[in-house]
Every structure is written in C-alpha cells, then in structure tokens.
Amino acid sequence: MHPPGADTVLVRHGDLNTKSNTVKRYMEDLLAENIEALLADRSIPGEVERRWNRPLIHTGEDAVEAATDAATDAFGVVSASPALTVSTEQARILEAVAETAREHYDGGTFAVDARRADKSLPYDSEDLARDAGNAIWEAVDDEFEPAVDLDDPDLTFGIEVRADVAFVYLEQVDGPGGLPLGSQEPVIALVSGGIDSPVAAYEMMKRGSPVVPAYVALGEYGGIDHEARAMETVRLLSAYAPNFDMQAYRVPGGETVALLVEEMEQGRMLSLRRFFYRAAETLAERIDADGIVTGEAAGQKSSQTIRNLGVTSRATRLPIHRPLLTRDKQYIVAQAREIGTFTDSTIDAGCNRVTPDQVETNARLKPLLDAEPDDLLERAEDAAADAELVDP
C-alpha cells in the first residue's frame, strides 16, 4: 500500500549504523550495488540514490511496490517503504497526507509517525504529527468518524523529513536485516537438498558472506532426484544474490558412501560427515574461502549431538559455522517457507538408505578412527579435486 503518486522507496538498514563512518560508507555502497542487481535481475525500473543513512530507490508508481519487494530481499535491509516525495514545506506535507488519507483511510483508527532529521526546519516532529493528524481528520470526517489510537492503530501515516526533501508513506515492509552480501569473506555451504542446509546458507548470506554451494553426490544412495532437489534449493538462494556466482560444486562421493555402508554400521554417519568436512575444506583452499557452513542443529539428529559434533569437526582445520545450532525445527521450517526453499526440500529422494539401523550418539574419536577406512580423508581430498561446477 502506498500514497497516491508514490515515486520512491525508502530503504532502512540497521547493523551498518554500528560501524565506523568509513566502514559504513563502504557497506552502504555494497548495499546499493546489491539492490541495483536485484532490480535489474527482476526487470524493475529504478535508480538507487546512495544517501547517507537512507538509500533511496527512485521509480514510478506502477513499479514502487515491486521495487520495495526487491529492496526487502537485500541482505542488510531492515525495512523499506514505498513513499511519495514532497518538499519540506509543511503545507505541502500536510496536503500529501490529506490526499493519502482520502485514498486509503476508510475507517478504523489511525496514528501519525512523524520524524524530522533536520533540526533547522521551522517545525518540530510533534508539531508536524499534530498538524498532520488534523489534516487527516478533516480529509475524511465527512465520510466517517475517524479515531486516533497511538498505541495500536489500524493505519499509520509515516512522515520522514530530511534536510532537502520529505517522504510520506503508509507501511514499513520488513527486510532480512543483517549485513550487505559481500561485506564478509566467502564460505563453502554444504547443501544436501534437505530443509536445514539452505536455511543455514541463507543465514550466512544474511551476515554478509557469499556462499559457494557444495553438493556431495551419494551415487546409488542419492540419485538424480536427490541432486535435483539440492540444486533447486541453490537456484532459489541465488535469486537473493543475482550479482554473485552461485554455481555449485558437485563432489563425487558415491564410491566412498558405498564403502562406508559396506564396512561400517555404528558411526557410519559420523564418518560420512567427516568426509564431507574434509572435502569442503579442500574446496575452500581452492577458492580461498574462510569457513564451512552446515545446517546442523544441536541434538536434532543422532549424528548432531554435542559430542558427535565435536568428534566430526576434527576432520577440518577450518571453522564450521552452524547458524542453526540452537534453533528448534519449527523455526527452521518456518524460515524455509519464508525464503521459498521448503517445498523442494521436502521432496522424497530416498537418500535415507545411508542411515544405519544402529546409530551412534556418544562417539569417541579413537574408536571412530579405528572403525572407518584408513584413507577416508584422503578420499575426501581426491573427491574435492575432482569436483565439477554445475549450474543450479
């Protein structure tokens, strides 16, 4: 919902404001580049103005809602509002607010949220809010009896006044928050096509790290459907980062999976995770990534007990980032639905045949090393060396 004639999107960020001015300017430039890429990728007309503290998207009324949606898919954006640009003259602001009320206020309660950044203007925020409230009341009182509710209004009229321009808006659309993508170093994202791994990758992207997806092909224990499911989630993630290369590495792991199934019962899944980690580390060295991200959550599966995570993590020298470590499954599922990866992540691909009948929940490193193939980690390094880039 937007005011009549809306021509601008107000973009708000959060964590950037905690940075030094130099870092903040760098990150605001990154944010603007990422928003521009999202607009271009979706063929949305708009020009990004790189204003300090408040990036703007200048567009037309017919595209302002789509531009807002694009902006709120950009990592680092806390919220965005489709807005009408007017002069800072108070009479013009009140005129725009009244026109907006006649268009959109048709009953219920209302409030005015007025903010004035330039203290040299001849009115303050309280004056503006009071006068705007009167203008709204007068604009609609012939049609119905308006009512003010400052605590929980049905409709809020937003006014933001900068030094040279003012904006009128009706809603704030939530964005993901975080930091602009590209402001942190890249990481290898182990993607399986399940619910958890794409959500974990998204969470790392939200903190500014580009992800390089790596999918370990399980051979006869995975198959084409398993791989297709994983690649579709990568494709969905890539829509949030059109100016970043989201090709995925396919790591051949079928022979090693078959060997583990043949030779190991208890501890098999832990050794398989160790294989994954060492393969990811080898890929990271190739592309100069600085970590590995997985969708593991403490206690969610038998292989993800705290002790087991400690044992499997020793297969790599790189840090393993687990954004979902303390998250309940319900939260992860809700996040998957929100970012669009849930449906493809829940397609049955038959890969559960790898799981043994007897699981290990309290592993110790030495017995696991004694049970697994002596060359397991070398196999992982060789597999990573043979990995191929594939388009999602």
Side-chain angles (χ1 to χ4, degrees), residues 200-222:
Y202 178 91
E203 289 294 307
M204 287 302 294
M205 294 167 72
K206 189 169 81 172
R207 296 309 303 173
S209 286
V211 299
V212 180
Y215 165 76
V216 179
L218 304 180
E220 64 178 296
Y221 292 91

Side-chain angles (χ1 to χ4, degrees), residues 13-228:
H13 50 64
D15 276 11
L16 275 69
N17 295 323
T18 67
K19 308 299 181 182
S20 68
N21 285 346
T22 300
V23 174
K24 180 178 176 180
R25 183 171 289 105
Y26 161 71
M27 288 192 176
E28 285 191 332
D29 285 343
L30 278 179
L31 180 59
E33 291 174 8
N34 294 343
I35 293 174
E36 288 169 345
L38 285 164
L39 294 172
D41 186 62
R42 302 177 188 186
S43 300
I44 300 170
E47 179 181 345
V48 179
E49 181 182 349
R50 305 185 183 193
R51 283 201 171 209
W52 182 254
N53 278 339
R54 188 70 81 241
L56 304 173
I57 304 173
H58 299 294
T59 186
E61 184 174 7
D62 57 344
V64 72
E65 298 282 355
T68 301
D69 291 341
T72 52
D73 278 342
F75 301 107
V77 171
V78 172
S79 68
S81 298
L84 172 66
T85 305
V86 297
S87 73
T88 60
E89 182 182 358
Q90 187 175 15
R92 179 65 189 99
I93 296 172
L94 299 182
E95 179 185 345
V97 169
E99 184 179 355
T100 300
R102 285 189 288 269
E103 178 76 18
H104 289 290
Y105 183 28
D106 56 4
T109 59
F110 80 95
V112 176
D113 179 13
R115 301 168 187 267
R116 183 198 63 163
D118 185 0
K119 306 304 181 186
S120 67
L121 291 168
Y123 52 84
D124 61 23
S125 298
E126 291 184 3
D127 293 336
L128 184 58
R130 182 186 61 251
D131 293 343
N134 290 333
I136 294 166
W137 192 289
E138 293 173 1
V140 300
D141 67 349
D142 287 342
E143 301 294 330
F144 60 90
E145 182 71 20
V148 175
D149 184 345
L150 301 181
D151 296 320
D152 187 25
D154 297 312
L155 184 63
T156 299
F157 293 81
I159 304 171
E160 183 170 310
V161 185
R162 314 300 291 183
D164 58 339
V165 68
F167 305 96
V168 175
Y169 57 91
L170 289 169
E171 63 177 347
Q172 295 188 29
V173 182
D174 290 339
L179 297 172
L181 193 61
S183 61
Q184 300 296 311
E185 299 302 317
V187 294
I188 296 289
L190 285 169
V191 293
S192 64
I195 294 173
D196 304 327
S197 59
V199 175
Y202 178 91
E203 289 294 307
M204 287 302 294
M205 294 167 72
K206 189 169 81 172
R207 296 309 303 173
S209 286
V211 299
V212 180
Y215 165 76
V216 179
L218 304 180
E220 64 178 296
Y221 292 91
I224 189 169
D225 290 339
H226 186 261
E227 179 175 336

